Amino acid sequence: MKQRYDAVLFDCDGVLVDSEGITNGVLRDMLEELGWTLSREECMRLFVGKAVKDERELIERRTGRPLTEEWFARFRERRNDGLVARVEAIPGAVDAVAALSSRFQGRIACCSGADRFKVELQLRKCGLMDYFEGRVFSGHETPRSKPFPDVYLAAMEALGVRPERCAVVEDTVTGVTAGASAGATVFGYSPPEAGHDAPGALRAAGAGQVFTSMSELPGLLG
């Protein structure tokens, strides 16, 4: 039976690796140092799925302080230290990726709004890099990051697949919007744990189907 898709494109944070709590914990602490106090939940609600560099205007408005390149460098250093120490794969993600990499003969990619160093650090730490070697795409390297479709369009062009033949896996409204705008079929991952957008929000953003466990994904893709 012919497959419905020719390639599967994965978001990274919250889909492949359980990193959002770590990254947002560092961000919350550093925002408090600038004078903006948020709870962990508030920080997650505001920043999950978004690149911190794209939220510079909001942070500067709320803190009344300019965000320097030195501040961003310190944030990345503290974030990376936390990830090296504590990041783990999303439950079931490694098995799902292994199965789909085999089924699609390596036509899978990781498409993240984060910087390449962070993405590749996490994939290596979680035993996923071998599946995505040479097929990691960062929104920092495209004209626009998510919610724009650029990072997904770059992956589709590199893989030589048409948008309508791609499945995208995302867990935030920002990411679902990017995948849908690229013309792909988007599968929304929405487990009950904090850090992922709700099923209704993912559907409203363009997810055609929502699921709660990575072990379900290979079956959903046919």
Side-chain angles (χ1 to χ4, degrees):
M1 189 172 77
K2 187 167 169 50
Q3 292 191 141
R4 288 176 58 197
Y5 307 106
D6 294 329
V8 186
L9 311 179
F10 293 85
D11 177 38
C12 185
D13 298 288
V15 167
L16 296 175
V17 301
D18 191 4
S19 57
E20 295 287 15
I22 299 168
T23 298
N24 279 274
V26 171
L27 178 60
R28 196 213 71 82
D29 291 348
M30 292 188 67
L31 292 178
E32 188 165 71
E33 291 162 12
L34 293 175
W36 185 13
T37 299
L38 292 165
S39 69
R40 184 172 177 274
E41 291 71 28
E42 287 170 329
C43 192
M44 298 274 278
R45 181 174 53 79
L46 284 171
F47 295 104
V48 162
K50 300 170 184 173
V52 175
K53 70 179 180 65
D54 293 337
E55 302 303 308
R56 181 196 292 255
E57 185 181 333
L58 169 65
I59 295 170
E60 290 182 342
R61 190 169 71 247
R62 294 302 297 267
T63 63
R65 309 261 295 271
L67 286 192
T68 64
E69 288 310 308
E70 289 77 16
W71 185 91
F72 280 105
R74 282 201 314 277
F75 167 71
R76 288 191 294 269
E77 183 178 356
R78 286 167 64 170
R79 175 203 70 186
N80 292 346
D81 287 346
L83 293 170
V84 167
R86 306 199 307 278
V87 74
E88 296 180 351
I90 290 286
V94 175
D95 288 344
V97 167
L100 291 169
S101 178
S102 175
R103 186 190 306 174
F104 287 88
Q105 298 179 310
R107 288 190 306 278
I108 65 172
C110 180
C111 302
S112 175
D115 57 277
R116 176 176 295 275
F117 184 88
K118 177 192 180 198
V119 177
E120 295 188 348
L121 178 160
Q122 295 180 129
L123 294 178
R124 286 194 184 92
K125 181 83 169 31
C126 295
L128 286 158
M129 192 64 202
D130 285 352
Y131 299 108
F132 293 106
E133 193 73 60
R135 295 182 305 282
V136 173
F137 298 85
S138 164
H140 283 229
E141 298 167 9
T142 56
R144 304 168 301 179
S145 194
K146 301 174 186 180
F148 296 99
D150 302 30
V151 71
Y152 282 116
L153 294 173
M156 293 169 185
E157 182 178 5
L159 292 174
V161 293
R162 301 195 310 275
E164 66 272 17
R165 296 287 299 170
C166 285
V168 160
V169 188
E170 277 281 1
D171 73 318
T172 65
V173 165
T174 303
V176 169
T177 302
S181 298
T185 300
V186 184
F187 291 79
Y189 175 57
S190 184
E193 295 82 21
H196 314 267
D197 284 337
L202 298 182
R203 289 192 185 94
Q209 207 161 349
V210 175
F211 64 106
T212 60
S213 169
M214 272 297 153
S215 62
E216 300 173 59
L217 185 60
L220 292 175
L221 293 177

